[in-house]
Structure formats: structure tokens, C-alpha cells
Amino acid sequence: MAKQKLVTLDGRTGEGGGQLVRVAVALAALTGTPIEIDNVRGNRAGKVRGGGLKAQHVSCIQCLADATQAEVNGCSVGSKTVEFKANLSPDAIKSRNIRVKAESAASILLVFQATLPFFLFAGDESGSPITLTIQGGSNVSFSLSFEYLDQVLCPALERFGIQVDRTLEHRGWSHGTPEIGSAKFVIRPVPLGQSLQEPNWPTEQGNITRIDVSLLVPAQMQESLKRALNFELGVVFPNIEVDFLLVGDSRHKARMYTLLVAHTSTGLQFGRDWLYSGSTRNPDFEKIATEIAQVVVDELDAELRKGGVVDEYLQDQLVVFQALAGGRSSIPATLEGLSADRERVDRTDAPFGDGSLHTTTARWVVSQLLPNVKWMGGGRTCEGAGWKTSSLELSIEKPLGELRLE
């Protein structure tokens, strides 16, 4: 790979957490840009979310390091500084069946999210897919769930031409007794010489046509939560069809997960979920069901009232793909973002634009590693890099096979 200038990032910038690390390492692996991240997760305090790398960050970095035969320093739990320099491009991969094993309930979905940009550009002449199997947690605190990925994120990625078949092989939890799960993703890389397509994103939110519900709670709580959700949804979203897509037994009193997905007349999906974090020592399931229903319904309503064309959590996950795609895309999360001056070029020396702190930070990281990407109108419009897969034949000294992360 051609020698490139080192990019140094302060891990306390913007949201200052793991997302900054995942986006930076993902793009460093893809582009070959060497990076150094100091003060890793420097804005995370306390025993639970304290600074430094956590297990899922190590999993992401190690997977991409093995794929690119990277030179890496600081890839260990608790590390405050990470250096990453890839030596192989995505098309150098010969093994297309990859397993990532983590000895914890680290989020499967965050590992997938961090590695997807790299594997998307690992196309070969035969157009063969890459199968990525990840062990870890499917329902984990401070992470998207498998259900959110399946029902909200993946349909959104399809607008960029991204095709991912996904199967939850075994559910994994961070709550209750920690349990390791597994998910398999079959990724169809971008054809050689092509880029992600410009997304045909609706310019209006449209009207709500249906709300899908997924709930994973103890069996004795299921009927209470269904009743509470039907009541709250009937009050806030009267005359809207409600479909219970998934009603499952979480098999532990501390495991309570609920996802609502609103579908609109313009083909959009808006998600809001909650992995219950309250006390479950002596649970009153009726009371907790009412609390969960009120919170998720009210938050979904608040999200939709913003008037944007993407929910807050999805918006930051799409920034990388907007930047890599060809053409222009506009995916604002608020009505104000929809009306912004789309031609005014944004400064990128600090987190910027429409959306949450995670979204503005993602734009900043992307801009450091893909400086040719142009953002306009306060992040409203992205003129992407049109990053293309290579048709160059490269050899790989060590095939990428099973990765075991201790």
C-alpha cells in the first residue's frame, strides 16, 4: 500500500467514546491511512464505562488488524492509546469465511458495524460473498440490538446498494447471567471498480402506516407488556396498525428488551428501543411493563415529531456510508436540517452539523480520513468520495481465517 501521512485523533473529541475509535479504525483499514488515537474513550468516566478500550473495541481492531496484516500498538482492554497502520488492502483477502470470537458479551453488532466498510470493498473477480460470524452479545447495553440492525439499519443500507444476509444463531445478553451469542452475516462486496450507489433517500418523512413491535422479556411479563404497549400506542398513535413481530422469552428476570419500528408512507423506518436498565431485584412486572411502554412510545413520538427523515441512532451509523458512496446524499434528522442551505460548505476541524453528538463526531472523524468528502449545509448534504473497489491483484502472506480474541 502507498505510504500515507499519519492522522492523529484526540479520543476526547465530540462524543469521545467508542464510536470515534470504531469509525477511525474502519476507515484506516480501508484507506491504508495510518492513525494514532490518544485519550481513547476519554469522555467516558466511572467503573462501568470508564475510558480506554473495552472488549468490543479490541475485537474490532484485532479483526481488521488480522485482515490487513496491520502494525498495531495498544490493542488491549484498558489501553488509552492506539496506533494502527494497515499493510494490505481489502482485495488482498483470500479466505472469505471469517470468524471473530470474543470471550465476553461484547456487542456483536458494534463489531459488525466497525468491520463492514472494510469487507464491503473486498470484492473479487467472481463476486463471491464474505461470510462473517461473530460471537458476543446481541442485546447489550449502549449498543444497537440484532433486531434494530435487522429491521432498521440493514433496510437503510440497501439504499446504498449494500446487501447483507443476517442470521441470529444464538442470542447473547449483557444483562442477568452474561451469555455469549452468535450471528452470521453474508456480505456481498461492491463489484470491482464500482462504488456504493448514491442513496435514493426520501425528502419527506411521510405518514405513519404501521408500527412493528419486538419484545424479549420473561415469559410471565409478556402479556402485561403487550397490553401496556397496545394502550400507549393507541393513545399516541390512534388508528395506526400495530404488528407484534417478535414476542420471545428472555429466560431471565433482568432481561427486558423492547423495540418499536414505525414505517412511513415514503418507505422510511424509525426505531426506538430500550434494554431495561432499572432495578430487577424484586420485579413488579406489571409496573415495569407500564414504565417500558410509556418510555418507548413517548420516545418514538418525540423522534417522529422532529420531522426528519432518519432516527437519531440510525443517522450516525450512516455517516461512513454517505462519505464512501458516489454522488450526493441528504439524510437530516430534523425539520431544521431539511431546510438548511445545502450549498454552504461546512468546516470540518471540529464535530459539526445536524444531529446528535455521535453524528457530528462521526462526520469529523470521516473528514480527517477522507478529506476529499465535502459536507454542506450543516451536515445536511454529503458529496461522497465515490470510493471504489480495486481490481489490482495482490497476494496475501497469511490467509484470514478464524480469529480468536482472548
Side-chain angles (χ1 to χ4, degrees):
M1 301 181 75
K3 186 175 182 180
Q4 299 192 47
K5 183 179 178 181
L6 174 71
V7 172
T8 301
L9 303 173
D10 187 338
R12 298 169 298 184
T13 305
E15 62 92 20
Q19 182 218 35
L20 186 155
V21 176
R22 289 188 297 272
V23 173
V25 175
L27 290 178
L30 176 62
T31 65
T33 305
I35 61 169
E36 178 180 319
I37 308 173
D38 301 316
N39 304 304
V40 169
R41 298 181 65 249
N43 291 354
R44 297 293 183 262
K47 293 182 179 179
V48 177
R49 302 191 71 191
L53 294 178
K54 298 188 76 173
Q56 55 101 341
H57 309 119
V58 172
S59 299
C60 301
I61 295 168
Q62 191 61 58
C63 177
L64 292 171
D66 285 359
T68 62
Q69 294 190 5
E71 300 167 32
V72 183
N73 290 313
C75 185
S76 59
V77 173
S79 176
K80 301 293 199 300
T81 300
V82 175
E83 298 174 359
F84 186 100
K85 180 180 180 296
N87 288 314
L88 292 175
S89 56
D91 59 339
I93 290 178
K94 298 301 180 184
S95 174
R96 309 184 78 77
N97 190 0
I98 301 155
R99 298 185 65 87
V100 179
K101 293 186 177 182
E103 303 301 323
S104 73
S107 172
I108 290 170
L109 294 315
L110 292 180
V111 174
F112 169 76
Q113 191 181 75
T115 55
L116 178 61
F118 179 84
F119 291 123
L120 273 178
F121 289 91
D124 62 9
E125 291 184 353
S126 64
S128 55
I130 289 177
T131 299
L132 175 63
T133 304
I134 306 172
Q135 284 191 345
S138 58
N139 298 82
V140 177
S141 300
F142 310 114
S143 166
L144 70 162
S145 67
F146 182 86
E147 285 68 38
Y148 183 95
L149 174 136
D150 183 48
Q151 299 177 41
V152 181
L153 176 57
C154 283
L157 293 178
E158 289 173 5
R159 294 182 180 274
F160 293 85
I162 298 171
Q163 298 293 325
V164 178
D165 297 333
R166 54 272 184 195
T167 304
L168 181 63
E169 298 180 322
H170 181 71
R171 194 172 296 281
W173 295 88
S174 59
H175 284 37
T177 304
E179 189 170 343
I180 305 299
S182 178
K184 181 166 70 175
F185 305 93
V186 179
I187 302 165
R188 291 172 175 77
V190 178
L192 291 174
Q194 296 185 26
S195 63
L196 296 177
Q197 69 187 36
E198 179 180 334
N200 181 22
W201 206 272
T203 58
E204 295 181 351
Q205 185 180 107
N207 300 316
I208 302 170
T209 58
R210 184 179 87 247
I211 296 176
D212 291 337
V213 181
S214 299
L215 57 91
L216 294 158
V217 296
Q220 61 268 41
M221 182 184 177
Q222 290 174 4
E223 291 305 315
S224 297
L225 184 52
K226 288 173 68 176
R227 284 195 302 270
L229 285 167
N230 275 321
F231 175 78
E232 295 294 336
L233 288 168
V235 171
V236 179
F237 301 102
N239 303 316
I240 299 298
E241 176 188 350
V242 176
D243 187 4
F244 284 83
L245 287 186
L246 172 66
V247 178
D249 183 1
S250 66
R251 298 181 293 110
H252 195 288
K253 67 178 183 179
R255 299 171 180 167
M256 306 177 199
Y257 174 75
T258 305
L259 167 68
L260 304 182
V261 178
H263 296 257
T264 76
S265 56
T266 56
L268 294 171
Q269 293 86 31
F270 292 79
R272 184 59 70 168
D273 62 355
W274 190 17
L275 180 60
Y276 186 71
S277 55
S279 174
T280 56
R281 180 170 296 180
N282 295 298
D284 181 336
F285 287 130
E286 287 282 347
K287 183 177 179 180
I288 294 174
T290 299
E291 180 186 2
I292 291 173
Q294 289 175 343
V295 168
V296 292
V297 172
D298 287 349
E299 288 189 355
L300 179 63
D301 182 45
E303 187 70 68
L304 291 164
R305 287 179 182 276
K306 294 177 185 177
V309 293
V310 65
D311 74 54
E312 173 186 350
Y313 299 120
L314 179 60
Q315 187 186 33
D316 74 78
Q317 297 172 61
L318 298 180
V319 167
V320 169
F321 304 102
Q322 286 184 269
L324 291 172
R328 287 190 172 194
S329 60
S330 180
I331 313 178
T334 64
L335 196 59
E336 291 77 12
L338 282 168
S339 59
D341 178 4
R342 68 171 66 190
E343 299 301 326
R344 179 177 54 81
V345 177
D346 297 321
R347 292 186 57 174
T348 61
D349 53 348
F352 63 94
D354 168 75
S356 68
L357 192 56
H358 279 81
T359 298
T360 62
T361 304
R363 289 198 194 101
W364 172 75
V365 175
V366 162
S367 298
Q368 310 315 300
L369 286 147
L370 293 171
N372 291 333
V373 172
K374 184 187 294 184
W375 295 91
M376 294 163 282
R380 181 191 190 280
T381 301
C382 176
E383 194 170 283
W387 189 270
K388 295 183 178 180
T389 57
S390 172
S391 58
L392 180 65
E393 282 293 327
L394 297 177
S395 62
I396 184 167
E397 297 174 8
K398 180 178 64 176
L400 177 62
E402 182 168 299
L403 312 179
R404 186 170 186 85
L405 308 176
E406 302 296 343

